[in-house]
Amino acid sequence: VICSDKSGTLTQNKMTVRRIVCDGHIISENDANMENVGEKQLVIASVLCNDSSCRDGVEIGDPTETALIHFAHKEGLSDDEIRANFKRISEIPFDSDRKLMSTLNVVNGKHIMYTKGAADVLIDRMTCSQSTKNQIREQVEQLSRMGLRILCFACKEFDGDVITVDDEDGLDYMGLIAMMDPPRAESAQAVSE
């Protein structure tokens, strides 16, 4: 038995997006297509429901959230432009008990609430069919077996200006984004020694 710290010791402590799930399909990060409306909306949601920033190589915020910003950049999307175009007017910060975070943004004149979090928590708050929920669970299991950390995204149109935890329900499923903290090159040698 080898006991070791993982983040930053065996791994680079640099989360990177490896898979996205949209329209029921698991897609490699290199095959993501921003011409696909669903995929683009998922990436936009991952920027809006996010408190991190990446400027001139300086990352501020949670590594999971900065990974989402980097992925948007890789896909040719600017987090500054997205946030400027879809202003945040209310938010519910991430909470480890709820395992969720939500923001309320103005999107094309409508108020849209975006929620991200653990798939097992979010599934029960979504409006999709039981068969879709079962498919999501199977895909989460499949991605988990690959050693990936998975975030689920959902949204809904909202009438008011302020969201509360009671509003994190009746959500429309958007998709999943799966990330990995890549191992350090020297990890294999260190473990074998």
Side-chain angles (χ1 to χ4, degrees):
V1 174
I2 299 171
C3 295
S4 169
D5 177 52
K6 181 188 75 70
S7 297
T9 304
L10 293 179
T11 64
Q12 299 172 24
N13 196 24
K14 189 161 178 57
M15 294 295 285
T16 52
V17 172
R18 290 302 167 94
R19 299 284 186 279
I20 67 169
V21 178
C22 191
D23 300 325
H25 303 290
I26 296 177
I27 304 158
S28 164
E29 78 279 12
N30 294 322
D31 296 328
N33 178 4
M34 295 304 101
E35 298 295 311
N36 177 302
V37 174
E39 293 176 37
K40 186 174 183 178
Q41 291 304 316
L42 178 61
V43 176
I44 287 172
S46 78
V47 171
L48 294 174
C49 194
N50 186 325
D51 287 329
S52 71
S53 65
C54 305
R55 298 277 172 284
D56 306 317
V58 178
E59 298 177 351
I60 299 169
D62 179 80
T64 304
E65 289 196 334
T66 57
L68 298 172
I69 301 292
H70 282 300
F71 185 64
H73 291 174
K74 178 176 168 278
E75 295 303 320
L77 300 175
S78 160
D79 57 312
D80 286 336
E81 283 180 25
I82 291 170
R83 288 170 172 165
N85 291 337
F86 308 121
K87 290 276 186 219
R88 182 186 295 187
I89 56 173
S90 183
E91 67 183 273
I92 308 168
F94 177 78
D95 176 273
S96 55
D97 292 331
R98 280 182 14 263
K99 297 183 182 175
L100 298 174
M101 172 186 178
S102 295
T103 63
L104 185 63
N105 298 80
V106 180
V107 180
N108 303 325
K110 297 177 180 174
H111 291 184
I112 306 292
M113 177 175 156
Y114 293 101
T115 302
K116 79 163 185 241
D120 59 327
V121 174
L122 214 40
I123 281 176
D124 296 329
R125 297 166 181 258
M126 295 189 303
T127 58
C128 50
S129 67
Q130 196 55 52
S131 63
T132 300
K133 290 180 180 184
N134 291 341
Q135 182 185 35
I136 296 166
R137 286 186 183 97
E138 286 166 17
Q139 289 171 326
V140 166
E141 180 65 30
Q142 186 179 341
L143 294 165
S144 295
R145 282 196 299 269
M146 296 165 66
L148 300 176
R149 177 185 291 178
I150 300 124
L151 280 176
C152 185
F153 291 84
C155 67
K156 73 175 180 182
E157 219 174 299
F158 189 77
D159 282 337
D161 293 332
V162 179
I163 50 175
T164 69
V165 291
D166 296 333
D167 299 315
E168 293 176 321
D169 214 344
L171 299 159
D172 299 322
Y173 176 58
M174 296 185 78
L176 306 171
I177 299 182
M179 289 163 268
M180 174 181 269
D181 187 0
R184 285 180 178 270
E186 60 272 23
S187 294
Q189 181 66 30
V191 170
S192 64
E193 285 175 5

